[in-house]
Amino acid sequence: MSNLKAPDLSGKSILLIEDNILIAMEVETALEEAGAEVHLCTTIGAGISAIRERPVDFLLTDHMLTDADSKCAIAAAIAHGVPYAVLTGYDFAPDDPSVAGAKIFAKPCPADEIVAYIEAQLAGAASQRSE
């Protein structure tokens, strides 16, 4: 029996921008099992619209999609005060200014690691707001 508690993202809204359907389904399922409401977009354009149209607690975005790279979505997240992380199957410099300070998950990455990271980030943000 494990002493680890299951991740709890109840009441959190996660925007997932991912165009690989298998990865999107795996991550979406893991986030939903942790209690999150997931809004899945398969293009950067749709993701940017989603950030502007509804409250989002966290952005998880693929770095390179069919319509663009993640820079514009990250900029929109930053403008709205939304924490974010990046998924990628490509090698790119972590010192790229567009992803400075972002957690970068190399694909394939176990969905439970992503969920745990998001939970920790949102818990940290909540504790900072209450101080």
Side-chain angles (χ1 to χ4, degrees):
M1 186 187 320
S2 173
N3 290 333
L4 297 175
K5 73 174 189 70
D8 184 8
L9 293 173
S10 299
K12 301 298 182 188
S13 175
I14 311 298
L15 175 58
L16 172 59
I17 307 174
E18 174 60 69
D19 59 357
N20 179 308
I21 194 64
L22 295 176
I23 292 171
M25 288 172 48
E26 179 184 0
V27 173
E28 180 180 35
T29 298
L31 289 166
E32 288 174 344
E33 287 175 354
E37 175 187 325
V38 180
H39 183 76
L40 174 62
C41 296
T42 58
T43 67
I44 292 294
I48 291 169
S49 293
I51 290 171
R52 293 177 178 157
E53 293 170 4
R54 69 179 51 87
V56 174
D57 294 303
F58 196 91
L59 166 65
L60 179 62
T61 183
D62 186 359
H63 179 59
M64 190 63 66
L65 287 94
T66 55
D67 65 330
D69 65 29
S70 62
K71 293 176 186 175
C72 292
I74 290 170
I78 291 169
H80 288 84
V82 175
Y84 60 92
V86 177
L87 295 164
T88 187
Y90 297 94
D91 285 330
F92 71 101
D95 59 347
D96 180 332
S98 69
V99 294
K103 171 69 175 172
I104 299 171
F105 291 99
K107 294 182 197 178
C109 179
D112 59 336
E113 286 183 27
I114 295 169
V115 172
Y117 175 80
I118 293 172
E119 180 190 39
Q121 292 303 301
L122 293 177
S127 69
Q128 287 179 353
R129 283 193 300 267
S130 66
E131 291 176 358

